[in-house]
Amino acid sequence: MTTEPKTTSSAPTVVGPITGGQRGWPFACSIDDLSQIGYVEEEFFLEGEAVGYRPTAEFGYDGNWSAEPAGSAPFRTRVLVQRPADPARFNGTVIVGWNNVTAGYELLAELPIMFEEGFAYACASAQQVGIDGVASMPQGLKAWDPGRYASLEHPGDRYSYEIFTQAALAVGPDRTTQPVDPLGGLTVERVVALGASQSAARLATYINAVQPLTETFDGFLVLIHFGSGASIDDDVIFDANSARPAPVFRTRTMLRDDLDAPIMLVNSETEAPAYSAARQADTDRFRFWEVAGASHVSAPQLRRRTAKAERDGLVGRANPNPPSHISYLPAASAALGHLQRWITGGPPPPTQPLIQMSGDPIDIERDEHANALGGVRMPGMEVPVAHNTGVSPIAGLGGLGGGHEPFDTEKLVALYGDHDHYVARFSEAAAAAVTAGVLRASEADQLVNEARESEPF
C-alpha cells in the first residue's frame, strides 16, 4: 500500500428524502417497481465543501500517480439510493456508482445481482453535466425538473473526485445517521466504487491519484473502460453534439497495483482494440475480463435505456445499425459477486482468457462466422445464431452498439439441425459459463429461456 500522506474528507450534509417537483419522480430512477422485490428507492441531496486536486508529477502510463489538494468550493448534488427494505437481506456492501454523463444526461449502470444478492446502490451525481447538462442539449437535472433540482450547484469537474468521495462517506460505515440516514439504518460494512464508460475513465483517475490519499473504497468495479484516465484539474465538458468535442480520455494508463482495495475490470469487445495498449496481467489485487461479441451498448441494454428515456421524455441518439445481442452485463454481475467474496476474505475472481488480437494496427482475430476468438464466452457466442460484434465501422458514439447480423436458415440448419438441438447446445454452453464463473445460474436460466422461446430457424 502506498505511504503517501492521507487527506481527510468531511462527510456532506444529507437532505431528504426528496419528493415533489413537476414530474414527481427522481431522474433516471428504475423503470421497475422495486418495492415488488423488497427494495426502497429514495433520492437525497448532498451539500458540503469539495476540494480539488492537481498533479504533483506528470501522470504516467504505470498508473502510480501523485496528486495533492488544490482549492475548494461549495457544492450541492444528489444521490439516488436503492436499498433492501429488510435489513436481514442486506449483505453489508454499498455500491457507489459514478453516474455516466456522456449522453448529456445521467445514465445509471444496472446489474441484476445487486437486488438478488442484497447490495445497496447509491448513484452519485458527481459531474457537472449531470446537473447542468450541455449547451447543445440541456437535459441535466435542473432543466429536466427545475421544481425539484433548481437548488443543485456544481463547481466544476475538478471537484468531481471529492464529491464522489463525499457521496461514499454519506452512505458508508462511519456515516452520520442523524437527522437523515440515506441507508435507513442499515449496518454498512464496506463501500465499492462502480464506474462505466466515461465514468470508468474518471474512476481510473480516482484509483490512480485519489484513492491513495483518501482510502475511501474497499473495492472497485470498472466497466467498459477504454484504458485512459480523465483530467483531474480542469472543468472541460464533453458535448457529444459539438463539431469537435473536447477529449474525455486524456492519459493512457494502467491501473495502479499497490492498493489494498482490489480492482475488477470487465470490458466488452468494443473497448478491446483501444484497451490493448493498457492491458496488464492479473495480480492478487487485480482481475481483468473481456467479453467476446459484447458491445458497449448491447441490444438488451438499449431496450431498457430506451424505455427509461421515453418515460423521462429524453432525446436520445439514434443507433444506425442493429446492436450486438451479446451483453457484457451478465459477466459484470458475476464479477461483482466475485468481488464481494474477494473483499470479504474469499478467493479472487477466476482468471479468464482475453480476446485474441494481433497485427499492426492491432485487430481482433475471428472465426469462420466473423465472431471474435478468445475472451469470456457467453452462450450466445459459443452457440451462435448470428455474427455479433462490439466493433463497428461507424466512428464515435454511433458505433458503440457494434453490430448484429443473423445467420440465414440454411446456415442454422447446417449448424444445429433443428431448434431443439440448438437449445440443447445452448444450455450446455450456459452451464459451462456458470462453471467457469463468468455467468450466474439465475442469469444463465434466463438466457436459456430466451433461447428456447426464440425463433432463429
Side-chain angles (χ1 to χ4, degrees):
M1 179 67 200
T2 180
T3 59
E4 296 176 24
K6 304 298 181 290
T7 61
T8 301
S9 297
S10 300
T13 300
V14 181
V15 180
I18 305 302
T19 59
Q22 288 97 322
R23 298 181 185 263
W25 66 88
F27 184 85
C29 64
S30 179
I31 59 174
D32 303 318
D33 183 356
L34 297 185
S35 67
Q36 296 298 309
I37 58 171
Y39 265 68
V40 175
E41 184 173 49
E42 294 176 322
E43 183 177 55
F44 300 86
F45 289 169
L46 310 178
E47 56 187 36
E49 189 84 6
V51 300
Y53 293 95
R54 64 187 172 206
T56 60
E58 183 177 357
F59 285 178
Y61 173 75
D62 65 2
N64 294 309
W65 296 353
S66 177
E68 65 183 8
S72 64
F75 73 92
R76 192 173 212 242
T77 192
R78 67 112 186 204
V79 61
L80 181 68
V81 176
Q82 300 165 344
R83 60 174 174 83
D86 181 358
R89 284 192 59 194
F90 181 47
N91 68 8
T93 297
V94 181
I95 308 299
V96 183
W98 190 310
N99 298 345
N100 180 25
V101 299
T102 299
Y105 53 84
E106 293 188 331
L107 299 171
L108 279 54
E110 296 181 311
L111 299 177
I113 187 176
M114 291 183 182
F115 306 114
E116 293 181 19
E117 297 197 7
F119 290 91
Y121 189 22
C123 309
S125 297
Q127 286 181 256
Q128 185 175 2
V129 167
I131 292 172
D132 296 327
V134 294
S136 65
M137 189 183 295
Q139 297 188 108
L141 295 172
K142 294 167 82 168
W144 184 76
D145 193 334
R148 191 179 185 103
Y149 298 118
S151 68
L152 300 185
E153 291 293 337
H154 197 293
D157 278 1
R158 72 185 67 197
Y159 302 99
S160 62
Y161 302 97
E162 171 71 2
I163 291 173
F164 191 62
T165 295
Q166 291 199 30
L169 294 177
V171 297
D174 300 321
R175 69 191 185 282
T176 300
T177 58
Q178 297 296 327
V180 178
D181 182 6
L183 273 299
L186 296 179
T187 300
V188 177
E189 299 175 28
R190 63 199 73 87
V191 288
V192 169
L194 166 63
S197 193
Q198 182 183 159
S199 296
R202 308 296 295 191
L203 204 55
T205 297
Y206 191 100
I207 289 167
N208 288 350
V210 181
Q211 173 72 4
L213 300 176
T214 67
E215 297 184 349
T216 298
F217 292 96
D218 299 290
F220 294 89
L221 181 61
V222 184
L223 303 178
I224 47 176
H225 176 41
F226 284 99
S228 295
S231 170
I232 199 172
D233 59 352
D234 67 41
D235 302 324
V236 172
I237 285 176
F238 174 78
D239 183 350
N241 298 307
S242 171
R244 299 184 65 182
V248 174
F249 309 124
R250 299 293 185 85
T251 305
R252 179 69 63 190
T253 181
M254 297 189 296
L255 301 178
R256 66 184 305 150
D257 59 3
D258 62 345
L259 302 177
D260 290 336
I263 301 166
M264 182 76 217
L265 170 57
V266 181
N267 273 352
S268 76
E269 184 184 308
T270 303
E271 302 82 42
Y275 189 81
S276 62
R279 276 180 170 177
Q280 60 193 97
D282 285 353
T283 69
D284 60 356
R285 309 311 285 160
F286 175 80
R287 282 293 187 274
F288 172 46
W289 293 357
E290 287 179 316
V291 184
S295 61
H296 198 87
V297 183
S298 66
Q301 287 172 277
L302 190 60
R303 285 193 292 270
R304 287 188 62 85
R305 185 175 294 182
T306 299
K308 184 177 287 189
E310 290 176 349
R311 180 202 63 189
D312 290 346
L314 300 171
V315 177
R317 179 178 299 275
N319 197 66
N321 286 335
S324 173
H325 287 203
I326 306 297
S327 173
Y328 72 89
L329 291 177
S333 271
L336 179 55
H338 288 297
L339 183 60
Q340 168 75 356
R341 291 183 285 275
W342 197 6
I343 62 180
T344 54
T351 294
Q352 298 295 328
L354 301 182
I355 292 173
Q356 296 178 24
M357 292 186 285
S358 61
D360 185 13
I362 199 162
D363 199 8
I364 295 171
E365 297 178 5
R366 300 189 178 276
D367 63 15
E368 67 273 21
H369 310 303
N371 288 332
L373 294 169
V376 170
R377 311 293 293 185
M378 291 291 105
M381 284 294 281
E382 283 294 90
V383 187
V385 294
H387 163 52
N388 282 295
T389 179
V391 179
S392 169
I394 299 170
L397 300 185
L400 293 181
H404 171 81
E405 299 176 35
F407 297 161
D408 60 29
T409 301
E410 182 179 359
K411 185 170 185 175
L412 290 169
V413 170
L415 285 171
Y416 307 116
D418 57 30
H419 187 262
D420 288 343
H421 284 92
Y422 158 68
V423 173
R425 287 185 55 185
F426 190 98
S427 299
E428 291 173 359
V434 172
T435 300
V438 298
L439 184 62
R440 298 165 59 245
S442 62
E443 293 184 74
D445 291 344
Q446 179 181 340
L447 292 175
V448 170
N449 286 338
E450 291 173 0
R452 185 175 292 113
E453 295 170 3
S454 68
E455 298 180 358
F457 288 80

